[in-house]
Structure formats: structure tokens, C-alpha cells
Amino acid sequence: MQVREAKTDDAMKARTMTEDATNQMRETVERIYRSESRQVLATLIRLLGDFEVAEEASHDAFAAAVEQWGRDGIPANPRAWLVSTGRFKAIDGMRRRARHDASLDELAKQLESATASIETEPQEDEPVEDDRLRLIFTCCHPALAPEAQVAMTLREVCGLTTEEIARAFLTKPATIAQRIVRAKAKIRDARIPYEVPAEKDLPDRLDAVLRVVYLVFNEGYSASTGSALTRHDLSGEAVRLGRLLAALLPDPEAMGLLALMLLQDSRRAARTSPTGELILLEDQDRSLWNQEQIAEGITLVQGVLSHGQVGPYSIQAAIAAAHAQAQTAAATDWNQIVGLYNLLLQAEPSPVIELNWAVAVAMRDGPSAGLNLVDAILKRGDLDTYHLAHAARADFCRRLGRTKEARASYQRALSLTRQEPERRFLELRLRELQD
Amino acid sequence: MKYLCLVYVEEKTLHAMPQQERIALSDESMAYCDELQKQGQLLAASPLHPVETATTVRVREGRTSTTDGPFAETKEQLGGYLLLDVRDLNDAVRIASRFPAAQYGSIEVRPLKENGCA
């Protein structure tokens, strides 16, 4: 009906077309928002010197884009347009507010002269990529609490909303919001510089960044509470972050971490049953492993190993690769894996790695060798409250036919774990031993 | 996502302000709201008449009763609201923190339930 009328009514026709065009432009801007908003924000933070001012400026720029691009067409370099518009809007806003606060006028002047050069500078990709790195390093700054680092990285670098982060970590949005607000206040008050650390600090600071990425990955990978779907996204985000880091900063450990995440993630479909039960590596249906991720992971590991610089993530990736390459559980090269754990223990001595090493030794030399090693670790008291240490001990005892001890250790492990599928797995083993 | 920002201020503080300052605060608030509306982040906003103009309605066992004013004596009173449509809670908090009244009173940011009525 409306359409027919519009045919005879030029004004209405024109309006319908404008509405269509605006909607279409909104979609285009929406698409550009998804691909460019993080980069635009990262650059605006550098230019404007403040997270919140930059966020506001970025929002202004995208809002202006819907209007202006519809009229004038999409600019040749949308990102540069958005950055320049955002900067202009921020300075303009400061001017307007300066009517109430004279100090802002001065600030606006300073900003204008300090950032005037970007108008004439060619917009090359390189400085923009630097801005993304700056953003990552600032979000993962050690002066921020670890959970704040995670929240900041996911929101500012990955573009997740406060609510999405809260859902993924099973916390209230208000809690996450406060973490982010406090982190930003800390960055401002402590004058945490917006920069990629100097070379001498880089290894330590990169460690912190990689730790945050791996934390995000593990939160998604090993989490068993909450809906599997929402938590899965965290691992995906971590892999995306890992890719970004490896591309921006081709550090061997960044590559190693990406490889490790890909290789672990490749087993996702095989590690739980359709009813959500945990399936151990040796019992997994290997045809479900994602071969594409495995191939990419192995290539990355080989690249890192061939350069001779091997850090903890690369070694762990090499261990994961050894598993991925075994056609069957029985074909696993345990000798190679024991060797890699030895390397890992040297690179990063820790009781948990020692436990993994003990399990690998048990696979190579039999359960009694493993039992001796685990008992020695437990005797030191290091892993007394770590459920997997008791679960490993229980497994060795079970295989040795020491049922009573096995049962006691399974029970201890059960009392220490809070993860539902792990609980069910341990309960199943306990029931089997009672039969 | 939509958020309702409830602006609480101590009416006494506002009354005690010099008139010029009060007008400036009001101008500033309106300018900010205009700006938010242009960006498509503000759906509605308004200051409210003082709490003494309030009427409270209750229906109990089919009987409607009305009383004057709010139920409890509080230090700060609801003085206005903003209904935001923004990306997430932190965006809402950022916008609320820039609202001039935040410097005098407090702003409660509450997410709207999706699929509610209206």
C-alpha cells in the first residue's frame, strides 16, 4: 500500500530512499565498527592521553560517520577519518565545556597543537599496529590487579562488553564494571605510560601479557561451570589475542603460546562426552581432533624450536604437539615427552610441572615409578591441596591393584575439586573400585 | 543495552546553591543531554519536581491508597533520570560520571530487563 503511494509521491519516495540509505549506512558503519573500533580507540588513547576521553571521542566519530558518510560517501581510509574526527570532536567538546571550566581550554589548546601533525602524517599501518600493542601492554600493566588486567584486555583490546565478560567469568556486571573503572583511574593517577616497554623491560612485560592471554584461554578451556557455549568464547578470544600478539611482536614465546593454545583447543570436541563427562587424553576419539589447528600448531612449534630459543610456552606446545602427532594413545612417544618435561622443569621449576613429569614417567616406566615420584612430591607438602596430585596417585595405585589406597586418594581428590565434570569423573572411578 | 540512571541529589544542597550556579548546573546538564541525544545514546531524560510533590500509590486487597511524598526520609532524593541506550555497563557508567549532578549527589545505574513490558 505504502509502496504504491510512494510511487505517486516523490517526496515520500525520496524519504523512503533516504531511510533505506541511512539504514544501509548504519550497517556499513556497524561492520567497520567491528573491524576498526579497537584500532581507532587504541590510536585515540595515544592522541588524547586518556581512556575515557578517547572512548567518548571514538563513539562520537562513529556516530558522525553514519551521518556524514551517507551524505559524502565512505572515505578512502575510514580508520584515518574516524581517528581524525574523534580527535576533532574531543577537542571541540573540551572547548565547549571550557565555558564552565577554564582549565579545559588550556588542555584543548595543548591537545590541538600536540596532535596537529596527524592531519598531515600519512596514515600507515605501522603506527596503528604500535597503538594496538601499546593498548595491550597498558591493559596488562603489572600495577593493575590480575583480574583487572583480564577485564581490561577483554573489553578494550577484544571489544567484549562488560556484560559479556561478567557472563564468561560468572560474576556480576557491576563487579567487572568496577574493576574496569578502578583500573582506568589507576592508569590515570599512577600515570602509567601508554607505550610498548623498552627493550630491557620487554621480556618481563611480555610475560605478563602472555600470562593474561593464557589465563583467558584456560578460563574458557578448563571451566566447567556455566554454559559451555559462553565460556567457549573466551578460548576463542584468547586464540585471537594470541594471533594478534604473534603478528605484532614475533617473539618466540608469543608464537609458543599461540601454538600451545591451538594444540589444546584442537582437542576440544574430544575432551567431553555429549553429556558433558570428562574424557581423558588416552580415551579420546582422536578422529575428533581438529587437524587444521594441529597442523598450524605444529608448524608454529617447529618454527620456534628451530630457532633454538625455547621458553616454557614453547616447550608445553612441543609436548602438546607430541600428543597430537600420536595416531593412538599407545603410539605416544613418552620418552620424548619425559625429555620435554625435563626441559620444562629446568626452564620453569614448579611442583605442578613436576607432577606432570611424574605422570609422563609413569607412562614410560610403569605406575610404580610414577607412584614413587608423586609420593615424594606430596611428602614435601607442595601439592597437598591440589586435587590432580591425589587423582594421579589414585590412578597409579588403582593400576597397581592397591585398591584401598586408590580409594582414599580418589576421595581426597574429590574433596578438593569444585569442577563438576571432574567430580563426576572421580565419583565414577570410586564406584568402579567398589565393584 | 538500556540503562536507567537515577540521579539522587540532596535537595537541601541544591537550594543552598547561589542561583547563578544552579542555572549553570542546569544549562550544563541540558547541553550534555543534547549531546548524548545527538549521538543516539540518550532515549529520554528529565529532572523531577522536588520530592514534596510526590504521591505514592499502593493497592492492597483491591483498595487503592495514596499518600503524600516518599516512604522514607533519606538524605538524597531522586531528582531526575536519564534513560541510556549504550553498548555496555562501563559506557553507561562513563556517561553517568560525566553528568554534572554526579559531582553533587549520586547516580544509580540500573540495567533494564530485556523483554520487559513497553
Side-chain angles (χ1 to χ4, degrees):
Chain A
M1 198 56 189
Q2 250 180 345
V3 177
R4 198 171 303 152
E5 275 171 8
K7 253 184 202 165
T8 58
D9 185 342
D10 281 351
M12 191 184 268
K13 190 175 172 187
R15 197 167 63 216
T16 314
M17 276 175 66
T18 325
E19 268 168 30
D20 280 357
T22 308
N23 284 339
Q24 229 170 14
M25 187 47 66
R26 198 162 282 137
E27 272 168 38
T28 308
V29 173
E30 190 76 25
R31 188 167 43 75
I32 292 177
Y33 181 87
R34 276 194 297 274
S35 67
E36 302 290 327
S37 72
R38 297 300 101 194
Q39 281 99 315
V40 169
L41 178 71
T43 301
L44 283 172
I45 295 172
R46 171 170 57 82
L47 294 175
L48 300 168
D50 184 281
F51 266 80
E52 305 228 311
V53 175
E55 268 184 272
E56 205 171 304
S58 157
H59 189 91
D60 277 358
F62 278 99
V66 175
E67 198 180 316
Q68 229 165 302
W69 295 0
R71 203 174 54 227
D72 310 336
I74 299 169
N77 185 343
R79 190 195 291 168
W81 188 94
L82 288 160
V83 167
S84 150
T85 305
R87 170 189 160 271
F88 172 78
K89 294 258 175 191
I91 293 169
D92 191 47
M94 255 177 230
R95 284 252 160 74
R96 263 183 291 123
R97 259 170 268 144
R99 282 188 310 216
H100 308 286
D101 182 351
S103 66
L104 283 172
D105 194 39
E106 194 46 42
L107 193 60
K109 275 192 198 127
Q110 280 175 15
L111 264 181
E112 190 154 40
S113 59
T115 61
S117 63
I118 67 150
E119 296 294 317
T120 48
E121 241 174 51
Q123 293 286 334
E124 279 169 21
D125 272 354
E126 184 139 275
V128 178
E129 299 307 350
D130 281 354
D131 285 336
R132 294 213 81 184
L133 265 185
R134 282 189 185 97
L135 184 57
I136 295 174
F137 277 106
T138 305
C139 290
C140 298
H141 195 280
L144 306 177
E147 63 269 20
Q149 293 178 29
V150 169
M152 283 289 284
T153 305
L154 286 174
R155 185 169 186 274
E156 313 308 332
V157 183
C158 303
L160 264 62
T161 65
T162 316
E163 282 79 3
E164 283 166 340
I165 301 167
R167 223 175 299 137
F169 284 93
L170 308 171
T171 24
K172 289 191 300 185
T175 309
I176 300 290
Q178 274 178 45
R179 268 178 210 167
I180 290 170
V181 168
R182 284 194 197 127
K184 285 180 181 165
K186 174 96 186 184
I187 290 170
R188 191 168 45 233
D189 298 343
R191 296 174 192 281
I192 290 175
Y194 191 62
E195 64 186 19
V196 176
E199 207 153 323
K200 72 168 173 49
D201 299 326
L202 196 57
D204 276 353
R205 293 288 306 281
L206 182 61
D207 265 2
V209 171
L210 297 180
R211 201 161 35 235
V212 167
V213 176
Y214 199 37
L215 202 72
V216 171
F217 178 82
N218 275 322
E219 190 65 32
Y221 188 70
S222 63
S224 42
T225 33
S227 136
L229 196 70
T230 54
R231 316 227 49 173
H232 174 104
D233 288 338
L234 278 184
S235 303
E237 283 309 327
V239 171
R240 264 192 289 280
L241 264 175
R243 275 189 204 289
L244 180 69
L245 265 178
L248 296 180
L249 204 73
D251 169 274
E253 275 292 85
M255 309 271 195
L257 175 60
L258 176 58
L260 175 61
M261 293 192 295
L262 286 167
L263 288 163
Q264 286 187 348
D265 206 47
S266 73
R267 302 198 289 261
R268 175 182 299 283
R271 65 194 285 273
T272 44
S273 73
T275 53
E277 306 301 320
L278 203 67
I279 302 173
L280 291 183
L281 187 61
E282 60 188 80
D283 302 322
Q284 289 175 11
D285 175 357
R286 293 180 182 225
S287 70
L288 295 175
W289 289 0
N290 183 325
Q291 291 305 322
E292 217 172 295
Q293 285 177 311
I294 290 176
E296 190 186 353
I298 288 175
T299 309
L300 280 163
V301 175
Q302 282 168 345
V304 173
L305 294 185
S306 71
H307 282 90
Q309 266 183 303
V310 282
Y313 290 119
S314 311
I315 303 169
Q316 290 178 72
I319 293 168
H323 285 297
Q325 277 165 316
Q327 296 292 326
T328 61
T332 310
D333 185 349
W334 288 106
N335 198 35
Q336 187 200 2
I337 291 173
V338 169
L340 287 166
Y341 272 118
N342 276 327
L343 261 182
L344 187 58
L345 268 175
Q346 282 164 30
E348 203 181 62
S350 99
V352 172
I353 291 169
E354 209 180 327
L355 174 69
N356 287 321
W357 165 73
V359 172
V361 171
M363 293 307 292
R364 188 188 62 182
D365 304 338
S368 81
L371 185 59
N372 286 337
L373 295 171
V374 170
D375 276 342
I377 300 168
L378 282 172
K379 212 169 153 191
R380 289 204 312 262
D382 286 340
L383 295 180
D384 199 41
T385 55
Y386 187 54
H387 68 280
L388 290 179
H390 296 280
R393 185 177 196 282
D395 188 53
F396 298 149
C397 291
R398 179 182 62 88
R399 278 150 62 189
L400 290 166
R402 292 156 67 164
T403 313
K404 209 172 142 200
E405 278 177 83
R407 212 175 288 151
S409 288
Y410 277 129
Q411 243 135 17
R412 178 98 175 101
L414 195 57
S415 72
L416 292 168
T417 181
R418 259 166 288 153
Q419 296 185 330
E420 209 32 57
E422 292 218 19
R423 292 189 62 86
R424 288 202 296 270
F425 172 79
L426 293 167
E427 279 162 359
L428 178 71
R429 277 284 149 98
L430 264 171
R431 273 201 304 280
E432 283 170 358
L433 283 179
Q434 256 140 18
D435 293 343
Chain B
M1 287 206 40
K2 297 188 181 74
Y3 300 85
L4 186 63
C5 301
L6 300 163
V7 182
Y8 288 91
V9 282
E10 215 179 322
E11 286 178 0
K12 268 199 313 216
T13 315
L14 283 184
H15 291 317
M17 264 185 190
Q19 200 193 2
Q20 212 182 347
E21 209 177 307
R22 216 162 52 214
I23 291 171
L25 178 66
S26 157
D27 286 353
E28 222 182 305
S29 307
M30 287 207 294
Y32 187 42
C33 285
D34 277 352
E35 204 181 304
L36 292 173
Q37 199 153 23
K38 264 190 227 136
Q39 296 163 358
Q41 302 190 102
L42 182 70
L43 298 175
S46 180
L48 300 176
H49 279 299
V51 76
E52 74 224 24
T53 64
T55 307
T56 301
V57 181
R58 287 185 192 82
V59 178
R60 296 291 180 274
E61 287 154 7
R63 288 171 56 110
T64 305
S65 74
T66 58
T67 47
D68 285 352
F71 356 100
E73 282 293 318
T74 46
K75 206 165 151 275
E76 293 182 328
Q77 293 82 27
L78 185 61
Y81 74 94
L82 295 93
L83 181 59
L84 303 178
D85 187 5
V86 293
R87 219 178 122 252
D88 68 356
L89 180 56
N90 276 98
D91 270 0
V93 168
R94 175 171 52 79
I95 288 172
S97 73
R98 281 264 324 277
F99 192 69
Q103 291 173 36
Y104 302 90
S106 52
I107 301 180
E108 189 177 314
V109 180
R110 300 272 296 266
L112 265 64
K113 278 195 181 177
E114 282 168 61
N115 311 320
C117 65

